[in-house]
Amino acid sequence: MMTAELTTGQRVARARRRIGWDQSRLAAAVDRSVSWVSKVETGRLPLDRMSVVGQLAEVLGVEVIELTGQPYRHDSAELDSGHASVPGLRLALQQATMPGGAALITTTDLPTLTDLTARVEAAERLRQDAKFTALGDVLPQILRDLIVLCDVADGDDVSRAEALMLRASHMARVSSNMLGHHDLGWSAVQRELVAAERAGSPVLQAAARWDLCGVWLHEGELGAARDMARKALDDLEPYMATADQTVRALWGAMHLRAAVAWSRLWDRSEAESHLAEARQAAAGLPDDGNVFQTQFNAVNTEIHSVEVSLELGHPRDVLSRAELVSIARIASGERQSHFWVCAAAGQMMNGKPALAADAILRADAIAPQHVRNRPLARNLVDDLRSTDKHSQAAEIRRLATSMKLG
């Protein structure tokens, strides 16, 4: 029988009690009122921003996932979003990051660059569509074959093989962080950094650092993410004079990472400055740009502007910016779903639960495996379930049940 999991607020209360604090001490530590803490812990006030969750985790001395409750497990293989592949993925990443890992892999047919390029491209389409169960079915074997290929490659094939390893490791990073296995995300990005070093490529180095920022944002290590973005931008700047579109896209994508980090640190000036730089970079790039799976283009830049306003706690800006996003123009179910989750949070912050319910259900229809593993989305659904100020009550209850929210 399905049982309800603890809410984020209940996990906050558990962490607070474990260190012997009362609500007044926690309130003082996060510069809030005792009433605010009480409402958070009892679920009357949803935690609708990762910046707030991260702040609470920091003062309570716990990891973010202790408050979010990740990883979540679901009752169907489809909605379990690739959890069944985690043991195989873990083994493949261990072999990919250990010296001599290729010697531990038995293969009768030597993989080729042509074959693996096609398989990586197919997997990337699954990643952009947030089809993480299907991705998990193929990714461990892709990684194992790339371990062998990178071990035997020579000459110009070294950089090509390592670039494929970086792309595959990125997908492992994304799915691991999405599922809440942040240790695997770290292992994956370590292999990306090694790939960049072996290839001797500043472009691959920038792509790996972009992903490293993603790991730290998931873990709530905002200072580390901010500082890495700064370092990466400084190192990329000399290459901007070449007008290379890949470099320009990575430059813009890194500014978006920086914008999110600064917004979660509640520094509006810095966040908006990085957004402006990203907009300038996107203006000269294709509308469907997706260099190294960054989805860096004009539409994704504006999706980030919505997220930045959300993290800064400016609900009116969330909605006004959301209205300007041409969301149908981005060919990524994951990005579309992310946008609608942010829009739903903005609607709730503006006291419009009916529009919030519409938005979260739209996000779930586009990419359910993405939505049902996102702490923010789960908190929104839990909050929407407790109000009757919308006409989607039955649909929200079904979604809450599928998320094991009771």
Side-chain angles (χ1 to χ4, degrees):
M1 180 177 179
M2 183 181 296
T3 57
E5 297 181 347
L6 293 178
T7 66
T8 305
Q10 288 169 332
R11 295 187 190 98
V12 170
R14 181 178 62 185
R16 173 182 59 76
R17 288 193 295 267
R18 187 167 57 238
I19 60 176
W21 285 12
D22 59 18
Q23 289 184 337
S24 62
R25 185 164 181 182
L26 177 56
V30 295
D31 196 25
R32 303 274 185 165
S33 68
V34 174
S35 175
W36 182 88
V37 172
S38 177
K39 288 177 181 178
V40 163
E41 292 186 350
T42 58
R44 288 175 291 157
L45 185 66
L47 287 170
D48 49 16
R49 292 182 284 159
M50 289 309 296
S51 55
V52 178
V53 175
Q55 183 194 33
L56 285 166
E58 182 178 7
V59 300
L60 290 169
V62 300
E63 292 183 286
V64 168
I65 56 173
E66 181 165 337
L67 300 187
T68 62
Q70 290 178 296
Y72 313 120
R73 296 306 302 262
H74 300 281
D75 287 341
S76 71
E78 176 59 24
L79 290 179
D80 216 30
S81 313
H83 268 108
S85 70
V86 167
L89 188 61
R90 186 181 300 279
L91 177 60
L93 287 171
Q94 288 169 345
Q95 292 169 333
T97 52
M98 71 172 60
L104 303 176
I105 299 174
T106 302
T107 181
T108 54
D109 298 316
L110 189 66
T112 67
L113 272 168
T114 300
D115 172 60
L116 276 167
T117 298
R119 289 162 62 194
V120 167
E121 289 174 350
E124 286 173 338
R125 289 191 288 272
L126 296 174
R127 174 259 186 272
Q128 287 297 333
D129 289 338
K131 295 180 178 178
F132 291 104
T133 297
L135 178 61
D137 289 341
V138 299
L139 188 54
Q141 188 59 53
I142 288 174
L143 285 166
R144 284 191 290 270
D145 286 347
L146 280 169
I147 293 167
V148 175
L149 183 62
C150 289
D151 185 60
V152 301
D154 57 15
D156 292 340
D157 285 350
V158 171
S159 60
R160 295 172 62 195
E162 291 294 348
L164 286 176
M165 176 60 85
L166 183 144
R167 290 162 63 182
S169 296
H170 161 75
M171 290 184 280
R173 196 284 295 171
V174 169
S175 57
S176 297
N177 280 147
M178 188 272 300
L179 292 172
H181 297 281
H182 297 323
D183 62 320
L184 291 189
W186 179 250
S187 295
V189 84
Q190 280 183 306
R191 187 58 183 86
E192 292 182 57
L193 292 163
V194 169
E197 182 179 355
R198 288 180 178 174
S201 167
V203 168
L204 292 188
Q205 183 183 64
R209 287 173 164 184
W210 172 80
D211 227 17
L212 177 55
C213 288
V215 171
W216 277 328
L217 287 172
H218 272 281
E219 292 182 347
E221 297 291 344
L222 303 180
R226 173 202 61 203
D227 294 343
M228 175 49 66
R230 282 173 167 169
K231 170 65 173 169
L233 287 166
D234 286 344
D235 290 348
L236 265 182
E237 190 166 12
Y239 300 95
M240 288 293 287
T242 65
D244 181 278
Q245 287 199 344
T246 298
V247 172
R248 188 178 181 87
L250 288 169
W251 169 267
M254 199 67 70
H255 275 294
L256 291 181
R257 288 286 201 230
V260 172
W262 279 111
S263 70
R264 292 185 183 179
L265 290 165
W266 297 323
D267 190 319
R268 182 175 188 175
S269 177
E270 286 285 352
E272 294 294 344
S273 176
H274 285 288
L275 271 178
E277 290 281 359
R279 287 192 180 100
Q280 185 175 353
L285 295 175
D287 287 345
D288 60 351
N290 187 24
V291 169
F292 287 104
Q293 295 292 287
T294 58
Q295 278 291 338
F296 184 73
N297 49 56
V299 176
N300 197 22
T301 299
E302 296 313 318
I303 293 173
H304 276 76
S305 77
V306 174
E307 181 178 1
V308 163
S309 292
L310 177 65
E311 294 291 3
L312 288 169
H314 297 150
R316 292 184 181 178
D317 289 346
V318 174
L319 301 191
S320 62
R321 285 180 160 178
E323 290 176 355
L324 301 176
V325 178
S326 302
I327 192 61
R329 289 174 52 202
I330 193 164
S332 169
E334 184 270 335
R335 287 284 86 197
Q336 290 187 14
S337 179
H338 180 81
F339 165 77
W340 286 113
V341 170
C342 290
Q347 296 289 4
M348 282 299 284
M349 290 169 70
N350 278 280
K352 298 179 179 180
L355 294 176
D358 290 342
I360 198 69
L361 290 170
R362 191 163 183 173
D364 188 67
I366 294 169
Q369 293 192 351
H370 174 71
V371 171
R372 300 180 192 205
N373 285 284
R374 287 198 62 191
L376 171 60
R378 295 168 69 86
N379 287 341
L380 278 168
V381 171
D382 197 33
D383 196 32
L384 283 164
R385 180 179 59 160
S386 65
T387 179
D388 58 1
K389 296 181 179 179
H390 59 84
S391 61
Q392 306 273 24
E395 291 85 350
I396 292 295
R397 283 196 299 272
R398 281 195 290 271
L399 183 53
T401 298
S402 73
M403 289 179 168
K404 285 190 175 180
L405 299 177

